[in-house]
Amino acid sequence: MLRRCGFVAAVILASFATLDASALERRVAFVIGNSDYREISALKNPAKDVVAVSDMFRQAGFEVFVASNLTKLQFEDQFRNYLAAVDGADIAVLYYSGHGFQIGGENFLIPVDASLKQAADVEVQAIKLNDVLEQMRSKSKIQVIMLDACRNNPFPRKDYWLRDQLVVASGTGLAQVRSSLNTLIAFATAPGAVAYDGAGDLSPFSSAFARRALAPNQEIHTVMSAVRRDVVEATKGLQVPWENSSLIDEVVLMRRSSRPSLPPVLEKVVLSGAGPVDLDLAEPVEADGGTITVSIERSPTLGRLMLDGKVVEAGEQIQGKDLPRLQMDVPKGIGEPEEMDMLAYAARDNWGGEARGMLVFRVKSGEGPRGEQVMASLEAEQKQQVLERGIHITGAAEAIENREIDIPVGVGPIPLKLNFPTEDPAVSLRVASYPATGTLSLPDRILSPDSSLMADEVDRLRYEPQIGAGKTVEVAFEIRAGSAASKPATMKLSPTVDPCDSAAGEPLDLQGVVPGLLPNEIGADAVKLCEAAVKAYPDVARFRYELGRALLAARKVDQARKAIQQAADRGHVRAVFELGYLYATGTGVPVDRKQANTFYAAAADKGDPYGMTSWGRALFNGYGVERDTAKGLDLLLKAAAMGHTYAMNDLGAIFTEGRNGVTADQARAVAFLEAGVQRQDMYSMNLLARNYLSGAGVEKNPKTALALFQKATELGQPYAPGNLARMYRDGVGVERNPAEAQRLFEMATMRGDPSGAFDRAVLEMEKGEKADQATAVRFLAFAVALDTRDQLPEARTNLAKFGTKVKTAALKQLRQELRSKVPASGSPDNQLVGAARRVWEEANPRRDVF
């Protein structure tokens, strides 16, 4: 029976490792492999490159996002999830294997659905590397980008739009990139040169990197030097990897700073003359996985140390897994009286970690009745120890096996609270199957697929789900205790989205966790749900912002502004944009365009696509700021590249008409509108339908226009019903149907379309003697009330032509629709317009339309 020996325990515990603080670094990698291209030649290696490289990053303790064969839309979605995870990270890594080439010194990564047939296609189909880098830079301390993508331009077209210039693509390779401070960009080959697929399953670069990066405690420049040597050798000098670094902080991918853990098994009674006696030493545990060797520093002097029948001498090395099989053989005649002896040993791991252990022997004689009595007592104790360890292992397995735990997404690591039944120092757990997504950790270290932990650490085990990954994952452990048989145990972890996120999350929020809702889609229960989330997670700024959105939708403006300000103060970037929107629209504060622009610019600097769109729009048009067309256009293009359809629609309008010195290019406009339609944006549908009606940038096609208008109408777009109504009114692309036109104009009116209201009034007036003049007046009042930009002066002119009797009748109708009284003051026209505005506001209880 082994017992703890106090003074020796102090020595052993002093030798235990203190984990390096750098082990707590937040490190996130996004690994992409694009092989199955649809329009151009497929690549054989990237699909396998992504497996090897992602496994390497997992072994190194990174949170890993993995993706294969991404379309442009899929890249946008997964990159946003990655950016949400990277927010505040120490190291952000992007590893890309696939097609890539340069245009005018700009590097582009190519999604699998890219065709690049038109000059404008590169802006909506490809991924600009500099945009990716800027986003990573705005979120993280250190950025590492690795590109196994330096191949020839595979597309027949060579000239593409790049900002305001038509640029010819380079024939080979990728261009050099200027890295900002604390950034490393590594290329599979030198700038302008071409990388090769190689003869094996992996590309030469990915193969070398996946292998060399596993070297523990190697700084990344050392790793890349070794990768370069391997690739040069593999390609016989045809390919030379190259990197551009401005790192000022050390980057170690495979950091290993722990030491083997030795349980405090420190004292044992050994009988002489009883033959080899099992020492029951526990196998050393290496927290980071890997093999352990044990060196015998001091052998016992009173007997022989044995392993599988062979003597083990001082200075010999054995495997850590063999330590539990060590035995002690003390000859007869020793131990009367009792004598003391000692075994000292050192456990060393693969990367230099070391821990020392000692076992103190109390040697007693095994001869005579007294020896037999001691022998019987020891055997009973041994059996009891085996029984207790078996119970511990069984209880430990039962605490884990078949557990199903819901884990909230986007609130940090969540304790699993397993209520582990033992802290037996002999019990350890090895991670037998790491979760497919997300991160397992302890407060002092990130676990990797081969990690182990001690029994007293299990109740501190945590899991953080990966943003965007909703599938249940499994975690399997192998539970061990000395020489006892190990037991497997598996539990399930299910990511769950907080009800506040589901009720009030916003689209394209780079710190969000859901696709999001538009303002008019936020329900009445959102305030209550988000108040609960703020209470449960007071440090998560996202919930305060979403509470602000919910309060705005409920028209509790003052409370909303307070919540949004709190979120902004806590670092939520979209909340900063929202403050700008409040000032731009005069929601709860006086209209102040300059103040709005200050917030827009701050959000844009942090990479927010909403901020980039609004700040870009202000700069391009000179709204409250000196006009800077080039910078404004660049911001709009960047926001569009992030998938923001508002920016795409702005660009569609700019290139349709040609504005502020930017040349009109209707084909380029159509490319952006089609990209918006692909993302199910109802505004893009409405705008593109107009192009198909007029033939601007596309072949005229009324049937396609009709289908787009109908889809936009179904989605709730405010102006599509009016456009659709005009087609039915005039019989364009559809059989003439005045009744359907009338219905659609009325729908457009209630969605806030002043032109739809005006056309409904005109439609009524065109009925001649059969016209209901009160109805005509009513819709003219709506047209004036909704025309906030004074674009329909004829609506007020026509309203003024009607007599007092008709206006009184129309005003009576409007007042009957109101839930509250309107003061009867002012001219009849003003009363009509005021009542119409109030009717519309009561029917649309939201701060804006969309």
Side-chain angles (χ1 to χ4, degrees):
M1 181 74 175
L2 292 166
R3 297 184 178 86
R4 180 175 304 198
C5 184
F7 79 94
V8 183
V11 176
I12 295 292
L13 292 173
S15 72
F16 282 178
T18 300
L19 287 170
D20 192 324
S22 60
L24 298 175
E25 288 178 333
R26 287 195 57 233
R27 309 190 304 169
V28 190
F30 188 15
V31 183
I32 304 170
N34 282 350
S35 288
D36 299 336
Y37 285 88
R38 302 173 186 176
E39 302 285 339
I40 54 176
S41 59
L43 299 171
K44 68 175 185 176
N45 293 131
K48 295 178 180 178
D49 290 345
V50 75
V51 175
V53 174
S54 62
D55 285 348
M56 184 284 301
F57 280 116
R58 280 200 185 93
Q59 290 287 343
F62 280 71
E63 180 182 358
V64 185
F65 287 72
V66 185
S68 296
N69 299 319
L70 289 180
T71 64
K72 179 61 163 60
L73 265 68
Q74 289 170 338
F75 173 83
E76 290 171 9
D77 288 342
Q78 297 201 35
F79 187 56
R80 283 194 294 269
N81 291 334
Y82 166 70
L83 288 176
V86 161
D87 191 36
D90 295 281
I91 302 177
V93 175
L94 174 73
Y95 194 105
Y96 175 82
S97 180
H99 276 300
F101 63 93
Q102 61 170 300
I103 303 172
E106 292 276 9
N107 294 313
F108 289 87
L109 312 180
I110 309 302
V112 296
D113 61 337
S115 61
L116 303 191
K117 294 177 181 178
Q118 306 297 323
D121 285 349
V122 74
E123 295 175 311
V124 295
Q125 295 182 14
I127 301 157
K128 188 191 294 185
L129 180 61
N130 273 333
D131 287 350
V132 170
L133 177 57
E134 284 186 22
Q135 287 287 345
M136 293 170 63
R137 185 185 301 139
S138 71
K139 299 286 185 181
S140 57
K141 179 181 178 183
I142 299 171
Q143 304 81 47
V144 175
I145 294 182
M146 315 199 79
L147 301 170
D148 193 359
C150 314
R151 297 173 172 88
N152 284 320
N153 178 6
F155 297 98
R157 187 178 188 93
K158 301 300 178 185
D159 58 328
Y160 299 99
W161 278 109
L162 199 60
R163 295 186 184 89
D164 55 352
Q165 295 183 8
L166 196 63
V167 180
V168 177
S170 170
T172 59
L174 295 178
Q176 182 172 343
V177 179
R178 290 183 179 179
S179 60
S180 60
L181 192 63
N182 242 2
T183 298
L184 182 141
I185 304 173
F187 294 86
T189 191
V194 176
Y196 298 89
D197 286 332
D201 287 339
L202 305 179
S203 75
F205 182 75
S206 292
S207 175
F209 178 76
R211 182 177 65 258
R212 291 294 187 178
L214 288 172
N217 300 323
Q218 295 291 306
E219 210 279 330
I220 194 168
H221 291 100
T222 302
V223 170
M224 296 312 300
S225 293
V227 170
R228 187 158 33 249
R229 287 192 298 270
D230 288 353
V231 173
V232 169
E233 181 179 350
T235 62
K236 295 180 171 52
L238 295 176
Q239 180 177 330
V240 182
W242 173 90
E243 65 262 8
N244 181 14
S245 173
S246 61
L247 293 176
I248 60 173
D249 291 316
E250 182 183 65
V251 174
V252 175
L253 299 178
M254 182 68 75
R255 193 179 292 278
R256 291 293 181 257
S257 55
S258 62
R259 297 177 184 175
S261 180
L262 295 173
V265 181
L266 305 169
E267 182 180 330
K268 183 175 181 68
V269 175
V270 177
L271 295 180
S272 62
V277 176
D278 291 337
L279 298 183
D280 294 319
L281 290 169
E283 180 180 343
V285 174
E286 170 51 58
D288 294 320
T291 60
I292 296 176
T293 58
V294 173
S295 174
I296 306 303
E297 305 286 296
R298 182 188 185 281
S299 288
T301 60
L302 299 178
R304 300 181 303 167
L305 198 61
M306 310 287 293
L307 178 63
D308 299 334
K310 297 180 180 180
V311 176
V312 179
E313 302 287 355
E316 261 190 75
Q317 289 187 349
I318 63 174
Q319 294 297 307
K321 62 184 178 62
D322 295 332
L323 194 61
R325 300 206 312 278
L326 278 181
Q327 295 176 311
M328 179 72 170
D329 184 14
V330 181
K332 291 181 180 181
I334 300 176
E336 187 63 47
E338 180 180 309
E339 297 184 60
M340 301 292 288
D341 202 352
M342 186 176 72
L343 164 68
Y345 57 97
R348 297 181 177 89
D349 60 25
N350 294 347
W351 29 85
E354 180 180 297
R356 296 181 179 275
M358 290 186 237
L359 180 58
V360 175
F361 301 102
R362 297 172 62 185
V363 180
K364 298 184 179 183
S365 174
E367 299 178 78
R370 185 175 178 183
E372 291 175 5
Q373 185 179 7
V374 174
M375 174 75 77
S377 176
L378 289 175
E379 287 177 351
E381 288 184 1
Q382 184 68 32
K383 289 179 181 179
Q384 181 64 26
Q385 183 186 54
V386 171
L387 177 62
E388 288 177 358
R389 283 187 175 173
I391 293 172
H392 288 167
I393 292 178
T394 300
E398 289 175 352
I400 293 174
E401 184 65 27
N402 297 324
R403 288 284 297 272
E404 296 187 14
I405 306 173
D406 291 337
I407 309 291
V409 177
V411 296
I414 299 298
L416 298 183
K417 299 180 180 178
L418 296 175
N419 296 319
F420 206 60
T422 180
E423 291 189 0
D424 184 344
V427 175
S428 65
L429 288 77
R430 184 182 68 85
V431 180
S433 176
Y434 200 81
T437 58
T439 306
L440 277 176
S441 67
L442 293 166
D444 59 357
R445 69 181 186 274
I446 304 295
L447 301 185
S448 63
D450 290 328
S451 291
S452 293
L453 59 160
M454 305 303 293
D456 62 355
E457 295 180 301
V458 175
D459 279 339
R460 293 183 286 136
L461 192 62
R462 311 178 304 179
Y463 175 69
E464 184 170 5
Q466 189 170 98
I467 293 171
K471 293 182 179 179
T472 297
V473 298
E474 289 190 350
V475 186
F477 296 96
E478 178 191 1
I479 304 173
R480 302 171 293 184
S483 58
S486 64
K487 278 186 174 291
T490 301
M491 62 181 172
K492 294 181 179 180
L493 306 175
S494 300
T496 61
V497 174
D498 190 278
C500 175
D501 287 316
S502 300
E506 185 164 24
L508 306 191
D509 184 350
L510 301 189
Q511 293 162 298
V513 300
V514 292
L517 300 174
L518 297 170
N520 61 298
E521 297 172 323
I522 297 174
D525 61 343
V527 171
K528 184 177 180 180
L529 294 173
C530 289
E531 285 175 341
V534 169
K535 184 177 180 180
Y537 306 102
D539 295 329
V540 179
R542 179 179 79 253
F543 291 133
R544 293 181 186 272
Y545 171 60
E546 290 171 354
L547 173 60
R549 294 193 79 217
L551 289 165
L552 278 175
R555 292 198 160 187
K556 298 179 179 180
V557 176
D558 290 339
Q559 294 173 257
R561 190 173 70 252
K562 181 180 178 181
I564 293 167
Q565 183 67 63
Q566 289 175 344
D569 292 342
R570 286 166 169 79
H572 196 77
V573 177
R574 182 58 59 79
V576 176
F577 160 82
E578 197 75 35
L579 292 173
Y581 182 84
L582 297 181
Y583 278 100
T585 57
T587 305
V589 292
V591 173
D592 188 334
R593 171 62 75 170
K594 289 186 177 181
Q595 185 64 45
N597 286 341
T598 299
F599 287 117
Y600 288 159
D605 287 344
K606 290 292 186 181
D608 179 61
Y610 275 57
M612 288 191 287
T613 298
S614 294
W615 181 223
R617 186 184 294 142
L619 286 168
F620 186 85
N621 295 294
Y623 295 154
V625 66
E626 185 177 349
R627 180 181 293 170
D628 188 334
T629 302
K631 186 176 180 180
L633 182 64
D634 191 51
L635 283 166
L636 289 170
L637 289 168
K638 287 178 179 178
M642 288 293 295
H644 194 18
T645 54
Y646 291 15
M648 294 174 187
N649 295 334
D650 274 346
L651 292 165
I654 289 169
F655 295 128
T656 293
E657 304 166 8
R659 294 180 181 175
N660 300 340
V662 175
T663 305
D665 186 324
Q666 293 181 341
R668 195 177 183 188
V670 167
F672 281 104
L673 296 178
E674 287 178 337
V677 170
Q678 193 178 12
R679 290 156 181 79
Q680 298 300 302
D681 182 82
M682 53 193 171
Y683 284 91
S684 300
M685 294 174 188
N686 183 63
L687 293 170
L688 185 60
R690 291 168 56 183
N691 284 63
Y692 275 105
L693 268 184
S694 63
V698 290
E699 186 175 346
K700 186 181 292 188
N701 190 327
K703 288 186 177 180
T704 299
L706 184 73
L708 285 166
F709 282 140
Q710 286 174 333
K711 180 66 174 177
T713 298
E714 291 168 7
L715 291 173
Q717 209 275 347
Y719 308 113
N723 289 322
L724 193 58
R726 293 177 190 97
M727 295 186 73
Y728 279 104
R729 181 193 65 189
D730 302 332
V732 177
V734 67
E735 187 175 345
R736 190 172 180 276
N737 188 336
E740 180 64 4
Q742 177 175 306
R743 183 186 73 84
L744 289 166
F745 280 137
E746 290 176 2
M747 180 189 295
T749 300
M750 296 319 295
R751 290 187 182 182
D753 178 10
S755 295
F758 181 76
D759 285 350
R760 172 65 183 92
V762 171
L763 195 65
E764 189 65 33
M765 290 186 289
E766 288 176 347
K767 293 179 182 179
E769 294 181 355
K770 295 182 179 180
D772 185 335
Q773 292 188 335
T775 296
V777 167
R778 183 172 180 272
F779 281 98
L780 284 171
F782 274 118
V784 176
L786 297 172
D787 184 24
T788 57
R789 298 182 180 179
D790 296 324
Q791 294 177 324
L792 289 171
E794 61 268 36
R796 189 173 285 276
T797 301
N798 278 278
L799 179 61
K801 293 178 181 177
F802 284 85
T804 303
K805 184 177 180 180
V806 174
K807 291 178 181 178
T808 301
L811 184 60
K812 183 178 181 180
Q813 291 178 6
L814 288 169
R815 284 178 170 163
Q816 287 174 345
E817 296 178 36
L818 288 172
R819 294 192 292 270
S820 58
K821 293 183 178 180
V822 177
S825 60
S827 68
D829 286 9
N830 287 341
Q831 289 185 50
L832 277 166
V833 171
R837 180 72 189 180
R838 183 70 66 84
V839 167
W840 184 85
E841 288 176 346
E842 288 186 355
N844 295 273
R846 57 200 188 215
R847 63 193 173 91
D848 57 0
V849 183
F850 295 97

